[in-house]
Amino acid sequence: MRMQAVSQENIRAFREAIQQSTRIAVVGHTHPDGDALGSCTALSLWLAGRGKAVSCIFPDTPADNLLFILSPDVKYVYFDADASAAEAAIRACDLIVQLDCNHFSRTEGLEPFLKASTARKILIDHHLNPDRESFDVVFSTPEISSASELLYWVLKAADGDFSTSPSAPLEMTEDLSCRAQSRHLMTIGTALMAGMTTDTNNFANSVFPSTFQMASELIAAGVNRDALLQQLYSSYRENRVRLMGYMQYEGLKVLPEGAAYMILTKDIMSRFDLREGESEGLVNVPLSIGAVKLSVLLKEDDGHFRVSVRSKKGTSAQQLAVRFFHGGGHENASGGKLFIGPDIANAQAAEAYVSNALKTFLG
Ligand code: 5GP
Ligand code: MN
């Protein structure tokens, strides 16, 4: 099987770019999610296996609950923890591969260094409206589950048997936690499966025939999906479950227009001792209400709110994010920001803004 987005010509250009480079920067987006971490880790492992010096660079340190996707065999650099190391890695490389983000701006603090770099650049992404002009080779299709899946088809086309990696697959221990932090346990296949699983919300959204085919092939190749699901969906702290309950009981606002929103303030996050990544999935919950076709979650940050938008088919989360929240993403899963100052006078004004935005959008 060959994905439409994976043309022979692109694969030739991909192979050639890799052959001709020695130091490669693999770059993912801000607040990396499972797909960013999975795809970047998988590509870094694959490149390292071909003798390349690889730096895997993210704007921010990943959330604790996703650290299991990292491989001890990959050199990670986080701009928020060590800006000069990230800058140096980008300056030193002769090839940049950006995954799971359609524009340099999604890498926030890395953007000026990526723009200034004269290295060859490859994009492997599944968001709408990629910035094609900034890259020499572009693999882009929104008709796929995830960047991890797209990378799977790219690697299959470039190197047929990559998933039979010598590393052992993710293993479950007797207490059901995964030994993923042990050496060699995160394989290319497991990292890709993790990225696809989180971006589809465990096969609930953006699933295509090719997605099941990838999953089927990876399971046949030895990826332990049970261990992965255990790690992704059954390893949370009690605080997170209580926060989810609280937000659904106290925080949920449902509008007659068919929209819902929730605002996760700093005060609530500190009351529940919430950590980065622990509100993952909350924005999807209101869509389980029959009458709700659009759901927005605002999460208070310094000087702004981070915005997550989800929609049912027929309603565009992406358009709402573009029009009201300086953002974008996918048709039914997008994000953006709401700035205190430019957009709203203070944090208390966020509720009126989001409620008006939803009414205007659906009205
Ligand atoms: P999430 O709600 O999970 O943070 O993000 C959902 C989708 O929206 C992801 O595909 C992500 O790339 C995109 N997204 C999130 N935040 C932003 C943003 O600030 N700007 C843009 N353009 N896209 C975003
Ligand atoms: Mn993605």
Side-chain angles (χ1 to χ4, degrees):
M1 141 141 213
R2 176 177 296 282
M3 290 301 306
Q4 226 181 342
V6 182
S7 69
Q8 298 275 16
E9 190 191 339
N10 262 0
I11 290 297
R12 258 197 307 276
F14 174 81
R15 273 204 177 118
E16 190 182 287
I18 284 158
Q19 267 160 17
Q20 292 172 355
S21 31
T22 50
R23 300 166 87 85
I24 303 177
V26 173
V27 178
H29 61 75
T30 181
H31 299 295
D33 59 6
D35 191 28
L37 294 170
S39 58
C40 290
T41 294
L43 182 62
S44 299
L45 287 170
W46 185 80
L47 291 168
R50 311 191 132 222
K52 308 294 175 184
V54 184
S55 296
C56 185
I57 311 171
F58 292 102
D60 311 282
T61 307
D64 285 354
N65 60 325
L66 294 175
L67 290 178
F68 80 99
I69 298 173
L70 303 184
S71 164
D73 298 329
V74 172
K75 182 186 158 207
Y76 296 94
V77 184
Y78 307 121
F79 183 77
D80 64 345
D82 193 344
S84 54
E87 181 183 349
I90 293 171
R91 273 189 207 285
C93 73
D94 47 14
L95 176 66
I96 292 168
V97 189
Q98 183 171 307
L99 290 131
D100 198 33
C101 46
N102 54 0
H103 201 278
F104 288 146
S105 62
R106 295 279 297 133
T107 68
E108 302 211 331
L110 300 175
E111 182 177 10
F113 310 115
L114 294 172
K115 270 188 173 159
S117 168
T118 55
R120 213 184 300 199
K121 299 186 182 81
I122 299 176
L123 180 68
I124 302 178
D125 182 50
H126 68 129
H127 293 89
L128 297 165
N129 307 322
D131 174 21
R132 293 180 180 274
E133 288 67 41
S134 297
F135 295 87
D136 302 288
V137 184
V138 175
F139 294 94
S140 165
T141 175
E143 299 290 301
I144 203 162
S145 65
S146 53
S148 296
E149 186 193 328
L150 182 53
L151 178 63
Y152 178 78
W153 296 115
V154 169
L155 294 185
K156 281 230 354 165
D159 172 13
D161 66 348
F162 76 89
S163 62
T164 51
S165 129
S167 310
L170 190 66
E171 282 171 4
M172 231 189 289
T173 55
E174 276 165 23
D175 68 353
L176 294 183
S177 66
C178 293
R179 290 168 45 221
Q181 295 290 10
S182 326
R183 199 164 167 75
H184 291 310
L185 282 179
M186 184 48 60
T187 65
I188 296 173
T190 303
L192 294 177
M193 186 79 124
M196 179 275 286
T197 302
T198 54
D199 250 30
T200 60
N201 195 9
N202 198 13
F203 293 93
N205 319 109
S206 305
V207 173
F208 296 83
S210 60
T211 317
F212 288 112
Q213 188 175 344
M214 166 200 180
S216 165
E217 290 176 8
L218 286 177
I219 291 168
V223 169
N224 186 344
R225 190 172 125 80
D226 291 337
L228 199 53
L229 295 187
Q230 172 72 31
Q231 195 70 45
L232 284 171
Y233 301 114
S234 305
S235 301
Y236 287 115
R237 297 184 310 142
E238 180 180 333
N239 309 37
R240 190 255 184 190
V241 177
R242 295 198 181 278
L243 179 276
M244 297 288 270
Y246 173 81
M247 289 303 288
Q248 288 168 68
Y249 188 69
E250 295 274 345
L252 177 67
K253 300 284 158 52
V254 179
L255 301 175
E257 287 81 2
Y261 64 87
M262 289 182 262
I263 301 179
L264 196 44
T265 61
K266 283 187 174 180
D267 176 53
I268 297 171
M269 286 187 272
S270 95
R271 221 180 324 150
F272 284 86
D273 180 32
L274 202 71
R275 296 181 192 159
E276 180 66 34
E278 287 188 324
S279 60
E280 190 64 41
L282 180 58
V283 66
N284 295 313
V285 175
L287 290 181
S288 65
I289 301 168
V292 171
K293 50 193 176 192
L294 191 55
S295 168
V296 175
L297 174 69
L298 298 193
K299 219 173 139 191
E300 191 176 358
D301 206 330
D302 295 333
H304 68 276
F305 286 84
R306 280 157 62 187
V307 183
S308 285
V309 188
R310 300 291 185 271
S311 63
K312 287 180 180 160
K313 286 209 185 319
T315 302
S316 178
Q318 196 248 359
Q319 284 303 311
L320 183 85
V322 169
R323 276 179 62 187
F324 297 96
F325 300 110
H326 314 280
H330 311 287
E331 183 62 11
N332 300 118
S334 277
K337 283 180 178 164
L338 181 63
F339 295 99
I340 298 169
D343 298 324
I344 48 174
N346 50 45
Q348 289 66 41
E351 171 147 19
Y353 182 96
V354 66
S355 155
N356 285 331
L358 287 167
K359 286 177 187 162
T360 307
F361 187 72
L362 293 173

